Amino acid sequence: MSRGDDSSGQIVDGPGPNELRDPVVRQELKRASVWLGLAACMALVVLLIQPLLIIFGGLVFAAMLDGGVRLLGRVLPIARGWRLMIVVVLTIMFVSGTIYMTGVQVADQFAQLRETLTVQGGRLLAWASEHGLTPGAANLNTLFEQGMGSFGRLTVAVGSVLGAVASLLMVLVIGLFVAIEPRLYERGLQWLVPSGRRRELAITIERMAHTMRRLLAGRLLGMLVEGVLIWLMLWAGGVPMALVLGIIAGILAFIPNIGAIITGVLMVAVGFSAGVNTGYWAIFTYFLVQNFDGYVVIPMVAKRTVDMPPALTLSSQILASTLFGVLGLALADPMVAMIKVALQRESERAVDDAEATPRNG
């Protein structure tokens, strides 16, 4: 038999998958490892999204403390550690003093607010039932009693509250540690990237920190103005629970747009519970304060803080609340601001590289 008829003697050309020394195989393995690494990172982000949000919340709290430390440094030239201690002590004293002076009143008003909202909700359901929009009152009561009597749901609710308290505590601890020595963590982040990119990362981190401080300073100022104005106007109009509504309005002002809607619903419900005139006054107060905040306070603060379009802010809040819950909703603005800073810096770097290329050529 001739060798030309023997097909078993043919040799396959090209490297095999086990020949790692071959340049072609190594190149393909590098490409595959990049895609597998991206998929693994995406899976880890999905699995660890809640811890990542807690860490980011700690960074936001650290930026608030750092802003206070820098502001205090303008009038008190002492070491950073002492200024941070003063800021933390003043914060604790303010919160403790507020709770001590208004604790009983606020507790009573929160109880009244719950009863008022329950009564107003019952009236709304009764009106909807009369017009055939919901099941009958008896069925609603039965469903409500069954839901409230479920031990499993009660356990879940208690667990959620405890989890929220634990998450808040972790945010405060992380923020305090980062605020004590921020340069240590910045150097750690730089160490994670190649040496050629460290200078660029340092510039981006500095801009992010600066933007975060300005954003939070403007947000805190808006919270203070809105809370005080609503409290004083509701108190002047004889609306019940003016103090607690002012506190709620100030806290919810941290979440633009959506927080204002929730505040308005609570104010109107409480106002009409005391009478038609107080209800109209609550509506007038809401629109007056929101317009003052939107056309005076926010534009004045926006000149010195981050300029983000309202549609972008609202869209990011909707997406963050849907994907990540309440914590994502509260941190939507800072996340969008950080992404915006990173994209702007990347765009600037690309322009600088494009301008430098012809000169080098």
Side-chain angles (χ1 to χ4, degrees), residues 56-100:
F56 184 73
L59 296 178
V60 172
F61 181 63
M64 296 175 63
L65 293 177
D66 187 61
V69 169
R70 291 171 180 265
L71 183 63
L72 188 61
R74 296 181 179 181
V75 296
L76 194 61
I78 58 177
R80 175 184 173 83
W82 290 106
R83 283 182 280 139
L84 178 61
M85 185 181 69
I86 293 174
V87 171
V88 173
V89 170
L90 289 177
T91 303
I92 294 175
M93 290 177 59
F94 172 76
V95 174
S96 302
T98 302
I99 294 175
Y100 176 77

Side-chain angles (χ1 to χ4, degrees), residues 60 77 81 97 132 134 142 144-145 151 162 176 195 212 232 253 261 275 282 309 320 341 347 356-357:
V60 172
T134 59
T142 302
F144 179 76
E145 292 174 359
F151 179 77
L162 294 178
L176 183 59
S195 57
M212 182 75 76
L232 292 177
I261 295 174
V341 171
S347 177
T357 302

